[in-house]
Amino acid sequence: MLHSLEVLIASQKIAARVQELGSQISKDYTDKQPVLIGILNGAFVFMADLMRQIDIPHASDFLRVKSYRSDRSTGVIQLDADITVSIKGRDVILIEDILDTGTTLDFLINHLLKKEPLSLKVCCFLDKGRNLSVREKVSYTGFKIPDQFVVGYGLDYNDQYRFLPYVAVLLTER
Ligand code: IMP
Ligand code: MG
């Protein structure tokens, strides 16, 4: 299958928004030392940029889930690797690449709450706006986008295109 890409969010726009999110988080967590937890693989590019825009001390860790095959959600979430730091009594910010059906975030919020953090907020780079009840649980959103399959800036199609510095819609060519 051949694909063509249509740029949806240019890299300069991403950088400006990530800077805003970083400032907001720095402000909201003044005098706190939050732990950023990134969801692998998709969130690593966003998280790497975001943490360098946060000017208060913070820790970072990752967990890994499997939930997606090609461009369709399987709806089944599997925790492949858990965090290694203790978050009991700590302020936690969960970092996700995109909110689609909400299954992944719902699963991980429940998973992390069992570890008894002091607080838990979610920061999501993109929001396709399909799940309103999970959206309410997201405190920081980068961009709301139409319900189309996108790649780049960490987001993949069959593990491709993560390296693109912009977000693009993946179009199938005939
Ligand atoms: P959800 O569980 O349906 O909300 O799906 C979230 C996960 O699906 C994200 O972590 C992404 O890895 C993946 N995903 C959802 N939509 C897209 C997309 O448009 N492009 C690439 N990955 C996506
Ligand atoms: Mg993915």
Side-chain angles (χ1 to χ4, degrees), residues 123-166:
C123 174
C124 204
F125 175 55
L126 300 174
D127 178 359
K128 280 201 209 176
R130 286 217 278 163
N131 190 313
L132 300 179
S133 66
V134 175
R135 180 192 269 175
E136 282 172 10
K137 299 180 186 167
V138 179
S139 301
Y140 307 98
T141 301
F143 299 92
K144 285 188 180 149
I145 60 163
D147 189 4
Q148 285 174 302
F149 196 82
V150 292
V151 294
Y153 200 66
L155 290 117
D156 74 305
Y157 172 76
N158 282 344
D159 242 342
Q160 282 302 314
Y161 304 116
R162 290 193 201 278
F163 57 89
L164 298 173
Y166 48 83

Side-chain angles (χ1 to χ4, degrees), residues 43-57:
F44 85 103
V45 176
F46 173 48
M47 180 151 145
D49 283 348
L50 179 66
M51 62 191 294
R52 284 175 290 173
Q53 298 300 330
I54 298 177
D55 58 10
I56 52 154

Side-chain angles (χ1 to χ4, degrees), residues 39 42 67-68 73 77 96-105 128 130 145 148-151 155-157:
I39 304 173
S67 70
Y68 229 68
S73 173
I77 312 294
E96 171 64 315
D97 56 356
I98 186 167
L99 169 62
D100 186 14
T101 65
T103 315
T104 307
L105 276 179
K128 280 201 209 176
R130 286 217 278 163
I145 60 163
Q148 285 174 302
F149 196 82
V150 292
V151 294
L155 290 117
D156 74 305
Y157 172 76

Side-chain angles (χ1 to χ4, degrees), residues 7 12 46 54 76 93-94 116 140 148 164-165 173-174:
V7 178
Q12 298 89 330
F46 173 48
I54 298 177
V76 181
I93 310 174
L94 182 60
E116 299 174 37
Y140 307 98
Q148 285 174 302
L164 298 173
E173 285 183 347
R174 288 173 180 273

Side-chain angles (χ1 to χ4, degrees), residues 104-115:
T104 307
L105 276 179
D106 211 33
F107 174 88
L108 288 177
I109 289 168
N110 288 328
H111 172 72
L112 292 178
L113 284 178
K114 284 186 206 141
K115 297 177 188 281

